[in-house]
């Protein structure tokens, strides 16, 4: 196919890869197909529906490298599901009776777009899959090529989603200061809530990165600078049931010995118990347009903080969330390398008219390839049997 114009969009929550991925796509097109026009829809699918976009000028092309030094997304994100017509009508993005997929497809045609690059997580790419299927079924002759962004690292069958490595590293940096608060009161309980609705990978990887940092430090327990006090004492992920009573008994011993307890908690860990308690009390469980529980409203960290504070006799409790700190960071070296390879292949596939999501395919020997949209799924669970994770739990005394 002949590609004359491509469009980019970023969607869903932020991850430390969006700005870098935009940079990589612009640089690759400039290198191999400099005559291709590039636009970027503002605030994801919202901008697509509204026809609101930025033009990638020659100045942007020449200076695209600058984008790699920043987190966030310069073109903006939003949470829009193209198959949730009722929500889109309510938000004024489509008219009553309109098919949002047709509105989006017609807008792409009106804007002269041949290729759409979507950069997002499972919701973004499942929405991209819906759009790609609609385009194909209705002979629009457009190609959609996605890039997998999510700090949860939970996209099937992709080995490593873009931005996840950086998010774990940044979560560790966040913890280095937060855990320093452990002596700001006696019998101190710290809950470090980490993003991860269904998948505990980020919480586990953040704890592992933090403990790697601990191993690089010198300690002086004689004056109270104790590695035991600075350590992680519990790591809770959605894939493992939390026995509150058993863990309270174990952590009480830690509190008595060390004087503080630090918990790394996935925001989705124990969520069923929290929801059940809310529904039992007659409370409405808030949900977003995708049907997900609004975790910022439910506040799992505060719930667990309250549960453990009572059981551990904590005199001071601090709940801190590293999510926004982590997800808006600039890409680290590992992500820069991975994103670079993915954006190069994304452009090559786009120019060849090959739709799909670019990633290292776990079901195909971790080969970097163009994965068919119908194979992309969200909610990949974290494998809690991995040796690095089981070893960490053993070292901190958690069954």
């Amino acid at each position: 196919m002949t590609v004359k114009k491509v469009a980019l969009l970023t969607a869903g929550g932020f991850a430390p890869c969006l700005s870098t991925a935009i940079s990589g796509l612009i640089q690759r097109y400039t290198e191999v197909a400099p005559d291709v026009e590039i636009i970027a829809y503002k605030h994801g699918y919202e901008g697509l529906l509204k026809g609101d976009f930025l033009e990638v000028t020659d100045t942007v092309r020449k200076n695209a490298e600058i984008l790699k030094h920043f987190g966030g997304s310069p073109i903006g994100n939003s949470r829009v599901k193209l198959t949730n017509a009722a929500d889109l009508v309510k938000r004024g993005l489509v008219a009553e009776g309109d098919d949002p997929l047709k509105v989006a497809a017609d807008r792409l045609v009106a804007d002269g777009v041949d290729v759409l690059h979507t950069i997002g997580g499972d919701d973004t790419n499942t929405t991209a899959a819906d759009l790609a299927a609609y385009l194909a079924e209705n002979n629009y002759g457009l190609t959609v090529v996605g890039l997998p962004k999510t700090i949860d690292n939970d996209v099937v069958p992709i080995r490593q989603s873009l931005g996840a490595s950086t998010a774990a590293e940044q979560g560790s940096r966040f913890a280095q200061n937060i855990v320093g608060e452990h002596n700001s009161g006696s019998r101190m309980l710290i809950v470090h809530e980490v993003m991860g609705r269904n998948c505990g990978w980020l919480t586990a990887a953040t704890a592992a990165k933090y403990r790697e940092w601990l191993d690089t430090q010198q300690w002086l327990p004689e004056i109270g600078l104790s590695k035991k006090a600075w350590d992680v004492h519990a790591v809770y992920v959605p894939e493992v049931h939390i026995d509150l009573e058993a863990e309270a008994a174990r952590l009480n011993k830690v509190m008595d010995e060390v004087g503080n307890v630090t918990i790394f908690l996935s925001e989705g860990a124990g969520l069923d118990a929290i929801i059940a308690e809310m529904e039992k009390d007659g409370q409405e469980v808030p949900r977003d347009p995708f049907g997900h529980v609004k975790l910022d409203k439910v506040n799992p960290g505060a719930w667990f903080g309250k549960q453990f504070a009572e059981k551990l006799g904590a005199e001071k409790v601090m709940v801190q969330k590293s999510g926004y700190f982590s997800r808006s960071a600039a890409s680290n070296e590992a992500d820069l390398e991975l994103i670079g390879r993915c954006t190069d292949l994304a452009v090559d596939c786009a120019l060849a008219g090959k739709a799909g999501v670019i990633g290292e395919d776990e079901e195909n020997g971790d080969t970097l390839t163009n994965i068919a949209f119908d194979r992309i799924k969200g909610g990949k669970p974290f494998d809690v049997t991995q040796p690095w994770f089981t070893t960490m739990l053993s070292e901190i005394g958690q069954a």
Side-chain angles (χ1 to χ4, degrees), residues 345-389:
L345 182 57
V347 171
D348 293 346
C349 288
L351 293 174
K354 297 178 181 178
V357 179
I358 306 301
E360 295 175 326
D361 188 347
E362 287 185 313
E363 298 170 3
N364 188 26
D366 292 339
T367 302
L368 182 66
T369 188
N370 192 16
I371 303 169
F373 275 110
D374 61 9
R375 294 182 57 212
I376 300 295
K377 300 174 185 176
K380 180 178 73 173
F382 168 53
D383 180 3
V384 296
T385 67
Q386 294 179 85
W388 67 266
F389 181 63

Side-chain angles (χ1 to χ4, degrees), residues 37-339:
E37 185 180 350
I38 306 173
I39 64 171
Y41 286 110
K42 296 171 65 176
H43 300 290
Y45 292 111
E46 177 180 324
L48 171 55
L49 292 171
K50 294 162 65 175
D52 187 11
F53 60 81
L54 299 167
E55 294 184 7
V56 176
T57 63
D58 288 341
T59 298
V60 175
R61 288 177 181 267
K62 292 175 183 177
N63 295 281
E65 182 72 19
I66 293 173
L67 297 176
K68 296 179 181 178
H69 302 297
F70 290 86
S73 172
I75 61 177
N77 282 29
S78 64
R79 293 189 182 276
V80 169
K81 187 174 180 65
L82 293 180
T83 54
N84 189 343
D87 176 67
L88 298 179
V89 169
K90 182 179 178 181
R91 295 163 68 173
L93 295 176
V94 300
E96 186 74 47
D98 282 349
D99 179 350
L101 289 170
K102 186 176 189 306
V103 173
D106 289 345
R107 171 54 61 185
L108 289 168
V109 172
D111 292 339
V113 174
D114 300 303
V115 173
L116 174 65
H117 286 287
T118 60
I119 310 167
D122 58 314
D123 287 333
T124 300
N125 283 308
T126 53
T127 297
D130 292 333
L131 179 57
Y134 183 89
L135 293 169
E137 290 166 5
N138 293 277
N139 301 312
Y140 275 83
L142 294 167
T143 303
V144 182
V145 180
L147 289 166
K149 165 258 10 154
T150 169
I151 60 176
D152 296 350
N153 198 28
D154 65 345
V155 179
V156 177
I158 292 168
R159 184 193 68 83
Q160 185 75 21
S161 57
L162 311 185
S165 171
T166 304
E169 184 178 275
Q170 291 293 320
S172 168
R173 290 186 58 190
F174 179 91
Q176 291 163 28
N177 286 0
I178 295 304
V179 179
E181 290 278 338
H182 70 271
N183 270 340
S184 64
S186 58
R187 294 190 74 82
M188 177 78 170
L189 171 63
I190 297 176
V191 179
H192 175 190
E193 183 181 319
V194 183
M195 284 185 169
R197 178 186 301 276
N198 300 308
C199 177
W201 181 90
L202 181 60
T203 300
T206 299
K209 280 288 183 183
Y210 173 75
R211 297 188 80 242
E212 286 177 13
W213 174 77
L214 290 181
D215 289 338
T216 67
Q217 306 305 303
Q218 292 183 302
W219 304 98
L220 197 59
E222 292 81 1
I223 192 63
L225 185 61
S226 164
K227 183 179 180 181
K228 283 187 176 181
W230 281 78
D231 207 346
V232 180
H233 304 117
V235 181
Y236 299 136
V237 296
E239 293 82 358
V240 179
H241 171 69
I242 305 170
D243 187 331
L244 283 173
E245 296 304 323
E247 279 297 280
R250 179 180 72 85
L251 293 175
N252 246 316
K253 296 177 182 178
V254 176
M255 183 72 86
D256 291 342
E257 176 189 356
V258 181
N260 64 280
V261 165
T262 294
I263 296 170
F264 277 43
L265 171 78
S266 287
E267 61 183 356
L271 187 59
D272 290 344
I274 300 173
I275 293 172
E277 183 175 287
M278 291 180 67
E279 292 176 338
K280 181 180 178 182
D281 293 340
Q283 299 179 52
E284 181 181 354
V285 179
R287 299 181 183 274
D288 67 15
F290 290 88
H292 301 319
V293 174
K294 291 185 177 180
L295 294 170
D296 59 330
K297 304 294 185 183
V298 173
N299 208 345
W303 189 87
F304 274 97
K306 180 181 178 182
Q307 301 298 315
F308 278 112
E310 295 174 355
K311 298 177 186 298
L312 302 181
E315 296 183 10
K316 186 175 181 181
V317 181
M318 185 172 71
V319 179
Q320 293 290 313
K321 305 180 182 184
S322 62
Y324 294 110
F325 178 88
S326 300
R327 76 179 201 168
S328 295
S331 306
N332 67 7
E333 289 299 321
D335 269 322
L336 285 170
E337 188 275 334
L338 176 60
I339 296 166

